[in-house]
Amino acid sequence: MKKIQALVIKELGSYFISPVAYVIIFIFLAVAGFLFFQILSYFNVQSIQMMRYPGLLDRLNLNDMVLFPFFHNVVVFFTFLIPVLTMRLLSEEKKLGTGELLFTSPITTTEVVLGKFFSAALLILVMLLFSFVYPLVILIFGNPDAGPILTAYLGLFLLGCAAAGLGLLTSSLTENQIIAVISAWGILILLLIIGWAAQSVGPTFGAVLQHLSFMEHFQSFSKGIIELKGVVYYLSFIFFTLFLTQRVLDSQSWR
Amino acid sequence: MIEVENLTKRYGNILAVDRVSFRVDSGEIVGFLGPNGAGKTTIMRILTGFIPPTGGRAILSGFDIMEKPLEVKRRIGYLPEHPPIYNDMLVSPYLEFVSQLKEVEAKERTREVRRVMDLCGLTEVENRLIGNLSRGYRQRVGLAQALLGDPEILVLDEPTIGLDPRQIIEIRELIKNLRSEHTIILSSHILPEVEMLCGRVIIIHEGKIVAEDRPEHLQSTLKSSDRLFVQVGRAGPEVPESIRRIPGVISVFTEEKIPGGYLIDLERDEQKVREEVARVIVAGGFGLLELKPIRMSLEEVFVRLTTVESGSPEEGGKFS
């Protein structure tokens, strides 16, 4: 456990000593800010229009018209940033030869994988904390329901961790960071759009595909519902990817 | 203590290490000598548990590397060929981190890090980014990392590579001082270094041990073995031919640089053979100008052992 902690501290240190963390957080906040501004302006236009029809005014809802679309749009960009965070975690160890220290130290591959994963998870948490300024604006100047904001954040965090697990897996497979990030993106895109095929393959298999979709489960989180199947999906996805990563590392020292 | 038995490593069709067996007692420094690609690094990687062997056993401090890898790893300090350093870390946090990996007690940690920094002369760069350090300092950081936690066994893959002559002397002194309480395996290309540091030398070639002895022995075994230099006035193909016919002569080479010069490998440097060589040359009327025995440096021993000469494939067999 102490060694996992040591690894986490070391990795977080590397994120913040090199500009990687700052750049990623900055870009994430900039893009999220742009989205937020656009959605909020659109909401303004709509509310002015609705002024003319007082009957429709109670349809104006900050949760539905601002926060839901905001999360809905931000989540895609967010998902694609995660593999950039994780791409170097294991591939670099291999490339720089530092793996030779890590894997000849009295530390198990499971501890290595967990240490790397937790450091990515903590960085994701930091990213999400910073992005909280946008909902905070709504909370201060409006009166939205706070519940869906929190569940959306829980959803973002789980989804981010799942993407980090996947990123870690691809990073363990190669010593090239570009290959690691591109293959993680490929799998992520597939997981994002896999639901599209649902209509054309019949009801049973369609439902399976629907459930595999990365976004599908986030929907309910952003609507304020914590669904057990969503939580289970993300947690088992994390477990599965970390397990595979550990196997990959183990097998590499066996070849 | 290190005991290695029939260690074998195969990469696909390539046999990188071929049934290597040796033993290193506590407090001994053993040097691995061999050309690039001989399998030195592979053996070291197996001993440190970085890669598994295809066959054979390695027991370090009483633990089998295959069965109890963590126990072995607790007792080993390893400096790989490329120092395993993170460029985006400062020197002392890096050593802190490694000491945590190596299970140095929390309250001892600061003192331990200071100790290895003093030993390796890193105190003046402790707050610098490793990535900005010179090659020599990076190598020293790598060495410092291996010394953390005071492990029983040290495995050092070319510890003085990339250092300037003054640093090389410092590091050699350091390794010498570690000798008493550690078991050390080091590999090197530099023969005088091995000669100076190691109680025993293992020469590895193409994955096999071709010779194993004390450095001064190794030299003297071959020193007397053996070589004569002759220079004749009238060189020709019949010169080597007639010399080769003398019993006790293994082979004859033409010395390119000296006209009429030949190098003669003998089974033993016996006076009888030397006399016979002189007699044959004189009797053949080749015009004997010079005849002298040649002493071999460890360098030449090394080259000779690791160069497969045609006609004598079992060249090194007699030593193993």
Side-chain angles (χ1 to χ4, degrees):
Chain A
M1 202 59 214
K2 273 184 199 151
K3 284 173 241 168
I4 297 180
Q5 195 191 331
L7 253 180
V8 170
I9 291 169
K10 185 236 133 199
E11 289 302 338
L12 283 178
S14 298
Y15 274 134
F16 286 100
I17 279 186
S18 71
V20 179
Y22 303 105
V23 169
I24 289 182
I25 293 175
F26 170 76
I27 291 179
F28 175 59
L29 291 182
V31 172
F34 179 75
L35 284 170
F36 181 71
F37 178 72
Q38 289 305 314
I39 291 165
L40 205 60
S41 330
Y42 183 65
F43 176 76
N44 269 340
V45 173
Q46 276 196 314
S47 23
I48 289 162
Q49 282 175 345
M50 284 192 189
M51 292 289 197
R52 289 183 226 148
Y53 313 99
L56 289 175
L57 265 182
D58 50 339
R59 284 216 197 153
L60 275 179
N61 178 319
L62 280 169
N63 281 94
D64 285 351
M65 296 183 70
V66 179
L67 291 170
F68 181 73
F70 171 66
F71 286 125
H72 202 73
N73 283 297
V74 140
V75 69
V76 179
F77 185 61
F78 172 72
T79 313
F80 281 90
L81 275 181
I82 305 301
V84 183
L85 284 178
T86 57
M87 65 180 182
R88 51 167 273 282
L89 283 177
L90 288 164
S91 58
E92 204 178 48
E93 299 276 0
K94 230 179 293 175
K95 187 154 198 163
L96 296 180
T98 46
E100 227 166 318
L101 164 65
L102 208 52
F103 299 118
T104 58
S105 295
I107 179 171
T108 60
T109 43
T110 312
E111 286 172 314
V112 172
V113 173
L114 288 179
K116 300 272 177 183
F117 173 73
F118 288 145
S119 62
L122 278 175
L123 196 64
I124 290 170
L125 206 60
V126 173
M127 262 170 92
L128 290 178
L129 278 180
F130 276 114
S131 76
F132 198 70
V133 286
Y134 304 120
L136 201 63
V137 170
I138 304 279
L139 276 169
I140 291 171
F141 296 102
N143 54 344
D145 190 353
I149 300 178
L150 295 178
T151 56
Y153 266 96
L154 176 67
L156 276 175
F157 182 64
L158 284 173
L159 186 141
C161 286
L166 178 66
L168 209 55
L169 175 62
T170 57
S171 176
S172 75
L173 290 166
T174 169
E175 56 181 63
N176 186 318
Q177 299 190 9
I178 307 281
I179 294 177
V181 76
I182 292 280
S183 30
W185 280 343
I187 298 169
L188 277 178
I189 289 176
L190 205 68
L191 283 171
L192 289 182
I193 60 176
I194 203 167
W196 295 2
Q199 282 97 345
S200 51
V201 290
T204 323
F205 194 51
V208 173
L209 290 185
Q210 205 66 257
H211 283 303
L212 278 176
S213 166
F214 225 60
M215 277 308 139
E216 194 63 22
H217 298 282
F218 180 70
Q219 301 281 5
S220 43
F221 280 104
S222 62
K223 283 175 191 152
I225 310 157
I226 302 177
E227 266 188 325
L228 185 63
K229 65 174 182 188
V231 176
V232 168
Y233 172 82
Y234 289 125
L235 289 183
S236 48
F237 192 91
I238 292 167
F239 177 80
F240 182 62
T241 47
L242 294 187
F243 173 75
L244 284 183
T245 310
Q246 191 266 340
R247 296 276 85 188
V248 169
L249 291 185
D250 250 3
S251 80
Q252 269 163 358
S253 61
W254 282 107
R255 234 172 274 149
Chain B
M1 199 178 68
I2 303 169
E3 281 176 285
V4 172
E5 241 173 72
N6 285 325
L7 206 64
T8 303
K9 179 71 187 177
R10 195 181 277 282
Y11 292 109
N13 284 329
I14 302 156
L15 199 55
V17 177
D18 187 8
R19 284 163 298 159
V20 163
S21 304
F22 61 88
R23 194 190 143 96
V24 184
D25 289 317
S26 306
E28 204 183 358
I29 304 188
V30 165
F32 279 178
L33 214 56
N36 286 328
K40 293 174 301 203
T41 299
T42 309
I43 294 175
M44 289 183 154
R45 284 180 166 174
I46 293 171
L47 293 182
T48 52
F50 185 62
I51 52 171
T54 314
R57 289 201 310 164
I59 293 163
L60 293 94
S61 296
F63 296 99
D64 192 309
I65 186 67
M66 299 291 282
E67 281 156 23
K68 292 258 188 305
L70 285 186
E71 290 302 321
V72 173
K73 288 172 182 177
R74 281 196 180 105
R75 290 164 176 79
I76 279 194
Y78 175 37
L79 170 65
E81 212 172 353
H82 306 285
I85 45 179
Y86 297 97
N87 290 334
D88 52 4
M89 283 182 97
L90 306 178
V91 174
S92 75
Y94 167 75
L95 293 173
E96 291 275 328
F97 165 65
V98 179
S99 70
Q100 276 171 292
L101 286 186
K102 295 201 171 174
E103 303 174 345
V104 176
E105 299 267 331
K107 51 182 189 292
E108 310 253 312
R109 205 168 292 144
T110 321
R111 212 176 57 208
E112 180 64 11
V113 168
R114 190 128 307 277
R115 183 184 72 90
V116 296
M117 284 201 296
D118 282 343
L119 270 178
C120 301
L122 290 169
T123 335
E124 66 228 63
V125 294
E126 62 174 306
N127 290 318
R128 288 192 38 200
L129 206 56
I130 294 177
N132 294 342
L133 294 179
S134 67
R135 182 82 178 82
Y137 270 122
R138 293 152 70 89
Q139 185 70 17
R140 286 203 252 175
V141 174
L143 187 63
Q145 160 278 123
L147 299 177
L148 276 171
D150 211 16
E152 281 167 50
I153 298 172
L154 286 174
V155 177
L156 311 173
D157 202 349
E158 310 208 358
T160 55
I161 202 168
L163 301 177
D164 65 38
R166 195 178 52 84
Q167 294 168 333
I168 290 180
I169 292 167
E170 280 172 23
I171 295 295
R172 281 183 194 161
E173 278 306 309
L174 171 64
I175 295 172
K176 254 190 196 169
N177 295 335
L178 292 169
R179 168 157 48 191
S180 48
E181 63 249 59
H182 299 80
T183 309
I184 304 175
I185 292 188
L186 61 87
S187 73
S188 182
H189 283 129
I190 309 162
L191 294 136
E193 177 170 296
V194 171
E195 227 173 326
M196 191 189 304
L197 290 174
C198 304
R200 201 146 51 89
V201 182
I202 295 177
I203 298 185
I204 298 167
H205 181 55
E206 291 180 345
K208 287 196 186 94
I209 294 183
V210 292
E212 178 183 347
D213 212 332
R214 301 160 62 82
E216 58 270 24
H217 263 200
L218 213 51
Q219 235 165 334
S220 62
T221 333
L222 286 151
K223 211 182 270 172
S224 57
S225 73
D226 29 80
R227 254 187 188 194
L228 291 178
F229 169 78
V230 294
Q231 197 184 359
V232 298
R234 288 171 287 280
E238 64 282 4
V239 180
E241 250 169 61
S242 49
I243 295 174
R244 214 170 272 139
R245 260 183 252 126
I246 302 167
V249 170
I250 301 170
S251 50
V252 182
F253 309 94
T254 314
E255 170 68 89
E256 309 278 331
K257 282 170 244 155
I258 301 161
Y262 294 97
L263 289 172
I264 306 167
D265 272 343
L266 308 178
E267 267 170 27
R268 279 177 308 280
D269 181 26
E270 276 176 17
Q271 207 182 333
K272 249 191 294 174
V273 188
R274 235 190 280 178
E275 275 174 26
E276 186 64 14
V277 172
R279 201 192 57 76
V280 165
I281 293 173
V282 173
F286 305 131
L288 180 62
L289 297 175
E290 195 181 347
L291 187 152
K292 64 173 181 190
I294 293 179
R295 305 254 173 266
M296 292 173 91
S297 68
L298 196 51
E299 220 112 346
E300 284 165 304
V301 173
F302 170 66
V303 169
R304 187 155 158 206
L305 285 170
T306 54
T307 314
V308 181
E309 287 167 14
S310 52
S312 55
E314 292 303 311
E315 176 75 2
K318 56 189 165 181
F319 300 106
S320 52

